[in-house]
Amino acid sequence: MDYQAKIDTALNALHEEGRYRVFHNIRRINQHFPKAVWTMPSGEQREITVWCGNDYLGMGQNPVVQKAMHAAIESAGAGSGGTRNISGNTAFHKELETTLADLHGKEAALVFTSAYNANEATLSVLPKLFPGLIIYSDALNHASMIEGIRHGFGEKHIFRHNDVAHLRELLQAAPKEAPKLIAFESLYSMDGDFGPIKEICDLADEFNALTYIDEVHAVGLYGARGGGVTERDGLAGRIDMINGTLGKAYGVMGGYVACNATLADAIRSYAPGFIFTTSLAPVIAAGANASVKYLMDHPELRETHQQRAQNLKTQVKALGMPVSDYGSHIVPIHVGDPVKCKMLSDLLLEEHGIYVQPINFPTVPRGTERLRFTPSPVHTDAMIRDLVVALDGLWGQCALNRSKLAG
């Protein structure tokens, strides 16, 4: 076996298809988000504007968050010292979990090192807690949910994206007494569309199924206190398990699951992904806690965020570009070709100082490649206009069609 040849073949395939991912060297400028410094391959540095970050509200540079982190590192040092079961369980973690439980109106929350870890660990352990569990998963669920369900080695069924009628058919076909769980998202980040939460909860009630929702692209951004779409729509109480992240709207890192106290205790006690993972550093937990609390009391950031997103969508639509608009903060502009998507991304960066990474397979299906823009409250009207003008000029240069996209 020529191992190096196999590696070269795999990497060359990505280059030939046009979806090899280039990691640009950027450094965000503290207190000047969304500005960053791009270190070019030549070593030259250039100031750019970040348009594809998931720090949706710029909370990673919020002074309140940074102050809490400085205080924590002075108090507790850098790392946690181990897993939660050994020596990595601190007052910082417990306070964060109390805050997150309160955010979602649940009895408890369990903090993980990432929302990916939270999804994978929780969904994989549930079949152990409920033998014979059948999991029903939306076709567009995040990779972390798919992996968690797969690693649970239980029966699973995929229902067509947001297709409640198809979900009903699958539920009806199962034995009435079998334990069931419906796993879905509140907001699907690649298109920006919302899940039919109420309708799925109604089916869960009818068929005695548990509900598991991923709110990672919605926590901090929707609801009176930032509890997500389930809070906005008054449905959090009907959801058994809410997964969220601390690395997007809250601007730090980490993930969690909020649920009832006994279920949280069972996940804590049985999930290998929780038991054997070094816990978040106290400095991270402190910053996340400060961010969650801050956004509970600052709905104006959410309001401005939505206004900025709608402003960008309106201007892009006026140019006749294929942008999805489901009323969320996600602004995906569809290119449909990996080579041209990368070309457009490169030209925006090199000629206009606009940083947006191409989204391609396996994140989205082949033929649906796109640029995904994420306006924040601190992207100014001038920045939006600069982006729109740049897109207008480069669209034709990359030989792309202008066509309306339904949604």
Side-chain angles (χ1 to χ4, degrees), residues 35 49 51 308 311-312 315 354 378-390:
K35 292 296 182 179
T49 303
W51 273 101
R308 289 287 186 268
N311 184 3
L312 176 57
Q315 294 191 44
I354 291 170
V378 290
H379 280 89
T380 65
D381 289 339
M383 290 176 185
I384 292 174
R385 188 60 194 159
D386 287 345
L387 170 60
V388 172
V389 170

Side-chain angles (χ1 to χ4, degrees), residues 78-288:
S80 68
T83 68
R84 295 284 291 276
N85 297 295
I86 304 298
S87 62
N89 188 55
T90 72
F92 297 98
H93 296 87
K94 298 305 295 181
E95 185 178 353
L96 174 57
E97 288 175 341
T98 298
T99 299
L100 292 168
D102 175 53
L103 174 68
H104 294 291
K106 300 298 183 186
E107 292 178 347
L110 198 61
V111 170
F112 293 76
T113 54
S114 71
Y116 189 109
N117 182 219
N119 270 335
E120 198 280 334
T122 302
L123 287 168
S124 65
V125 81
L126 291 177
K128 299 177 184 176
L129 301 178
F130 308 108
L133 180 69
I134 304 172
I135 298 181
Y136 301 85
S137 176
D138 187 283
L140 293 189
N141 276 344
H142 189 265
S144 59
M145 301 175 75
I146 295 170
E147 288 301 303
I149 294 168
R150 181 179 296 152
H151 294 159
F153 303 107
E155 183 178 346
K156 65 178 183 295
H157 297 279
I158 312 301
F159 61 93
R160 291 185 292 271
H161 178 53
N162 281 350
D163 191 333
V164 179
H166 187 218
L167 175 58
R168 170 180 284 279
E169 291 175 13
L170 295 173
L171 288 164
Q172 286 176 327
K176 185 176 181 181
E177 66 280 4
K180 306 173 184 68
L181 179 137
I182 306 170
F184 63 112
E185 300 185 31
S186 66
L187 175 56
Y188 293 85
S189 65
M190 289 300 108
D191 285 314
D193 57 326
F194 295 96
I197 303 174
K198 180 182 181 302
E199 291 81 357
I200 288 178
C201 287
D202 289 343
L203 282 179
D205 289 345
E206 181 179 348
F207 291 93
N208 191 29
L210 296 171
T211 48
Y212 184 103
I213 194 166
D214 180 305
E215 283 255 45
V216 298
H217 288 275
V219 290
L221 305 174
Y222 297 85
R225 300 194 306 160
V229 181
T230 51
E231 183 195 27
R232 182 196 69 179
D233 296 348
L235 296 169
R238 300 185 65 185
I239 300 291
D240 294 294
M241 288 161 274
I242 297 176
N243 168 274
T245 184
L246 303 166
K248 292 183 171 61
Y250 295 119
V252 192
M253 71 171 291
Y256 63 89
V257 173
C259 53
N260 70 43
T262 54
L263 181 53
D265 193 21
I267 296 168
R268 177 189 70 85
S269 301
Y270 281 91
F274 180 86
I275 295 170
F276 298 105
T277 301
T278 297
S279 67
L280 282 179
V283 61
I284 298 294

Side-chain angles (χ1 to χ4, degrees), residues 6-26:
K6 293 296 183 182
I7 295 171
D8 292 341
T9 297
L11 290 174
N12 287 336
L14 296 178
H15 282 287
E16 290 171 4
E17 194 176 335
R19 60 185 184 91
Y20 179 79
R21 300 178 187 227
V22 175
F23 288 177
H24 291 291
N25 184 355
I26 68 168

Side-chain angles (χ1 to χ4, degrees), residues 347-358:
L347 290 172
L348 282 168
L349 180 60
E350 294 163 6
E351 297 184 3
H352 300 275
I354 291 170
Y355 179 70
V356 56
Q357 284 283 59

